Amino acid sequence: MRQLGIQLILIVGVLAVAWRLLISYGQKAIALRRLGLLALAAFAVWSILDPQIWNEIAGFVGIGRGADLILYGLVVAFFGFVATTFRRFRDLNNRYTRLARRIALDEVPRPGQVAPPLPPAPPTPPTTSTVKAADAD
């Protein structure tokens, strides 16, 4: 029954990360990320100054050791990092796709316009069959 407190905290943490993945975006997400980083730094300094505080907090929420509490917190933080990175890469891919489409549309000649000549192809490195033929001569 004592573990109910930490279970609720962890569930709320996971749901907050999922909510952030689905809802938050832009400057608000950046501000939340910075506040989270500041909170993590504050907890790190606090745990350096008073290492027993994690055991006391863990005992308060019903976990046996402070190390377990830190592990649970890091799991939630890692899940948030994965969710944020996933969203960032998805947005980046969407931007590249829009850019490639825009460039492709800009390079299409308009009706009645002559297409510009293609640039010369770069020289290709010699292949092994070409080198063997040159050595045979």
Side-chain angles (χ1 to χ4, degrees):
M1 187 66 185
R2 288 195 56 140
Q3 291 184 347
L4 182 64
I6 188 63
Q7 288 173 335
L8 287 175
I9 290 171
L10 290 174
I11 289 171
V12 167
V14 169
L15 291 177
V17 169
W19 172 77
R20 184 175 173 196
L21 175 65
L22 296 174
I23 302 295
S24 67
Y25 191 70
Q27 297 297 322
K28 186 178 178 181
I30 292 172
L32 286 175
R33 193 176 323 141
R34 288 181 180 163
L35 287 175
L37 185 62
L38 285 175
L40 184 64
F43 283 131
V45 170
W46 189 15
S47 65
I48 290 170
L49 294 175
D50 187 13
Q52 292 299 320
I53 193 69
W54 292 108
N55 286 332
E56 294 172 14
I57 294 173
F60 179 73
V61 295
I63 298 176
R65 300 182 313 162
D68 293 339
L69 178 63
I70 292 173
L71 176 67
Y72 296 151
L74 288 178
V75 166
V76 172
F78 180 72
F79 182 60
F81 172 76
V82 168
T84 303
T85 303
F86 171 76
R87 184 167 186 138
R88 185 178 301 163
F89 276 117
R90 188 178 64 189
D91 291 345
L92 194 62
N93 281 337
N94 287 339
R95 290 173 60 189
Y96 280 141
T97 301
R98 284 196 312 261
L99 179 64
R101 288 177 182 162
R102 182 76 258 162
I103 290 172
L105 289 174
D106 287 345
E107 290 182 354
V108 171
R110 300 184 190 282
Q113 183 183 17
V114 177
L118 295 174
T124 58
T127 60
T128 56
S129 62
T130 314
V131 173
K132 287 180 183 175
D135 289 342
D137 291 337

